[in-house]
Structure formats: structure tokens, C-alpha cells
Amino acid sequence: MPDAIGIYAEGQRIVGAYVLTKVTDPDSGTNYDQIPEYVTVLSPPKSGLPFDFDQIRVFTWSLKRHRYETAFRLHPIQGYLPVRTGFQPGPGGASVPTFSFQLANGENLSADPVTGATRPASMRTINYVMLDTIVRRTGPDMGPIPVGHLEGEKPKPAKSVKKNLK
């Protein structure tokens, strides 16, 4: 994963970065004309969490500005590996990139007899498709995605905006 994306981790631990597709930009200023676009998963810098990641981000390459930009962000969630990437037919028959990840489907847990790792007993697969720089949810599971912080963890307060009243 390039440093140009790693700087967006904001103190989070990068769990994985997966290439969704590549775009051609001969004016990119890099040694390559083919620039990868990524889906990344991140987690807090803590051990022993009951999930693999709590944030998903998609980074696309701006052909106009010749830099990475955030196209999609979903947090705080409690997601599980694996993250899968692929392609599916899109508008006009063109192939479009897809990705999916898993969420717990209920609160029941099961332990792996070999590793002892505890995982949800039932999982939901959440699917997304990327059309140009727009990421949309797709697939059979369109139910709500539970978002929330860990028990005892408080969300960061919103930054106050000072208004200039004259």
C-alpha cells in the first residue's frame, strides 16, 4: 500500500489493503501509468477486540488532481475478515469492481476448536460495487448495518464551528 494512503490511517491500525481496480493516468507523476485504487480495513490500535476491523475506506485516484481521495468510508462497525474483491458486469457490459466483508448476524458466538478464537456463530455478507468513483451497496443483504462504539468507549465530540456574526 502506498504511503499516500497510509497517511489517512489517523492512528488506526491498517488491517488490510486490497486493490479494487487500476486507472490509467500518464500524468500521475509516478513511475507507473496504472494507478491502483484500494479498499482498506482499519481497527483501533488495541489488542483483544471482538472484531477484526471497525472501519472500511475506499481510495480512488483523482485523474484531475493526480492524488488519492476518499470515495467511501463506513465506521464504526464490527467487521470480520475476509474482505473479498472481484468484478461483476456493470452498465454497458463493462466490468466493475466489487468488494464484500462480513458482519455478525446475531450475538451467538462459537470457538474455533484448533485456535480457540471466538467468532460469531452466524455471519452476514455485505456487498458493495464501485461505479467510477461512486461506491454503492448491492446484493441480497440490504438490511441495516449496525454501527456503534465499543461498550465504555465514547465517540469523539464534534468539532465546534465558530460563526462570524457581523
Side-chain angles (χ1 to χ4, degrees):
M1 181 175 72
D3 290 340
I5 289 178
I7 62 172
Y8 292 105
E10 299 173 342
Q12 299 278 305
R13 183 172 52 95
I14 298 170
V15 176
Y18 310 89
V19 174
L20 282 173
T21 190
K22 293 182 179 182
V23 295
T24 302
D25 185 1
D27 300 327
S28 68
T30 67
N31 295 334
Y32 309 101
D33 287 347
Q34 294 288 309
I35 308 294
E37 296 184 321
Y38 294 91
V39 58
T40 62
V41 291
L42 302 101
S43 73
K46 301 175 185 175
S47 60
L49 295 172
F51 48 84
D52 294 328
F53 57 89
D54 76 339
Q55 184 174 160
I56 292 185
R57 288 186 180 187
V58 173
F59 293 98
T60 57
W61 184 258
S62 170
L63 295 171
K64 183 178 179 181
R65 295 184 181 95
H66 311 292
R67 67 177 187 199
Y68 282 104
E69 296 180 349
T70 303
F72 175 78
R73 183 175 181 187
L74 178 64
H75 74 99
I77 61 170
Q78 294 186 11
Y80 297 89
L81 296 172
V83 172
R84 291 192 167 89
T85 61
F87 291 90
Q88 74 180 32
S95 186
V96 295
T98 63
F99 67 93
S100 67
F101 61 93
Q102 296 182 321
L103 296 174
N105 189 19
E107 299 201 11
N108 294 334
L109 300 174
S110 65
D112 185 308
V114 176
T115 65
T118 304
R119 306 284 284 186
S122 176
M123 300 283 230
R124 295 173 53 196
T125 300
I126 308 298
N127 300 290
Y128 284 87
V129 63
M130 188 168 80
L131 303 167
D132 194 26
T133 59
I134 298 170
V135 177
R136 299 217 189 270
R137 191 161 167 202
T138 185
D141 186 344
M142 295 299 283
I145 295 175
V147 294
H149 296 275
L150 289 173
E151 190 173 315
E153 186 178 64
K154 295 179 183 175
K156 293 179 184 177
K159 293 180 183 178
S160 63
V161 177
K162 294 181 181 179
K163 295 182 180 180
N164 191 0
L165 301 174
K166 287 187 178 184

